[in-house]
Amino acid sequence: MAERPEDLNLPNAVITRIIKEALPDGVNISKEARSAISRAASVFVLYATSCANNFAMKGKRKTLNAGDVLSAMEEMEFQRFVAPLKESLEVYRREQKGKKEARKDKDKKADSEEQDKSREEENDDDDERMEEEEQNDEEEVDN
Amino acid sequence: MAAAAGAVPVPVPVPAAGAEAAGPGEEAAGAGPPGTGPARLARLPLARVKALVKADPDVSLASQEAVFVLARATELFVETIAKDAYVYAQQGKRKTLQRKDLDNAIEAIDEFAFLEGTLD
């Protein structure tokens, strides 16, 4: 089943919750409006990605990084997002670091049982890359 | 034999989209109390955002951080467009946000110009 970019939706429940929290109490949203906002959000991701990719290419990099996304926000005239995004990124980085520590501790315990095996897990900079491993950290939400 | 309650909790697929109470700190995208302001973690599932990123044929790889920032940015965008559209509902003395409010906001506001023609 080929997925066209326009068909990739973000979960309705989350979108609805974000909308409701942004609006005053007692305000409702029609199904059509909610669905349009959801679609707009997907388009936003696609557009921001493309924009960010330009910055990555300018920097001769093949991997999009957080800085590219922030630059894209400025380019797209969403500068007011940049400060809150930087704050969120700090929190995220701290949390990822904490998880790394936790994983290392778990590995130490496993290693003490198998000291003969060579240690492959030392190399943690695949955290930088979006490969399959990140699926350990997230849950797929299917609406 | 009773199940060992003290055993390591198995990561059950909790619907991170709706859950406030995070499990034993397992998920990356869903954790964090609501309404903590800008510095909270993403609510949109990063895997779905990543799928959108991968849909771009020009993009080879994106770091985990990049996907996270995109997710957060999208949430801010949703908040922003909802509020901007609501202004039009208020003008129409309505308490329900409708599609036309959105269309009005998109037409009126420069930052939303990229959405024109994409929502149908």
Side-chain angles (χ1 to χ4, degrees), chain A residues 78-122:
Chain A
F78 287 110
Q79 298 91 333
R80 66 204 134 113
F81 289 0
V82 172
L85 287 177
K86 282 184 172 167
E87 278 183 56
S88 287
L89 185 56
E90 280 315 298
V91 177
Y92 179 75
R93 283 175 170 160
R94 272 183 264 136
E95 210 225 31
Q96 292 302 100
K97 203 168 158 214
K99 282 170 147 196
K100 241 197 231 188
E101 309 296 320
R103 245 185 281 152
K104 282 199 174 132
D105 288 341
K106 266 208 285 187
D107 290 343
K108 278 202 191 125
K109 288 186 185 154
D111 275 351
S112 66
E113 288 163 11
E114 313 180 356
Q115 274 168 11
D116 288 331
K117 296 230 163 113
S118 54
R119 305 215 185 160
E120 289 131 51
E121 270 282 30
E122 285 314 310

Side-chain angles (χ1 to χ4, degrees), chain B residues 14-36:
Chain B
V14 177
E20 294 309 299
E26 188 56 65
E27 61 269 346
T36 30

Side-chain angles (χ1 to χ4, degrees), chain B residues 20-113:
Chain B
E20 294 309 299
E26 188 56 65
E27 61 269 346
T36 30
R40 76 148 88 86
L41 296 180
R43 282 201 281 221
L44 291 170
L46 299 193
R48 292 259 203 132
V49 176
K50 177 186 172 187
L52 279 161
V53 171
K54 281 193 155 174
D56 187 328
D58 295 330
V59 174
S60 343
L61 281 173
S63 75
Q64 225 169 359
E65 285 187 356
V67 177
F68 169 77
V69 177
L70 268 171
R72 276 299 286 138
T74 307
E75 291 169 17
L76 292 175
F77 167 78
V78 170
E79 284 175 20
T80 301
I81 199 170
K83 286 182 180 159
D84 288 340
Y86 182 56
V87 169
Y88 291 95
Q90 282 177 305
Q91 283 178 10
K93 298 209 186 4
R94 280 178 282 105
K95 287 223 138 178
T96 299
L97 199 62
Q98 290 176 2
R99 172 64 199 260
K100 60 182 171 186
D101 300 320
L102 211 55
D103 291 334
N104 282 331
I106 290 171
E107 204 171 338
I109 298 168
D110 284 342
E111 290 94 320
F112 298 147

Side-chain angles (χ1 to χ4, degrees), chain A residues 5-20:
Chain A
E6 312 86 78
D7 294 337
L8 288 168
N9 263 335
L10 299 161
N12 279 332
V14 182
I15 297 284
T16 305
R17 156 104 46 93
I18 297 172
I19 295 172
K20 290 222 149 158

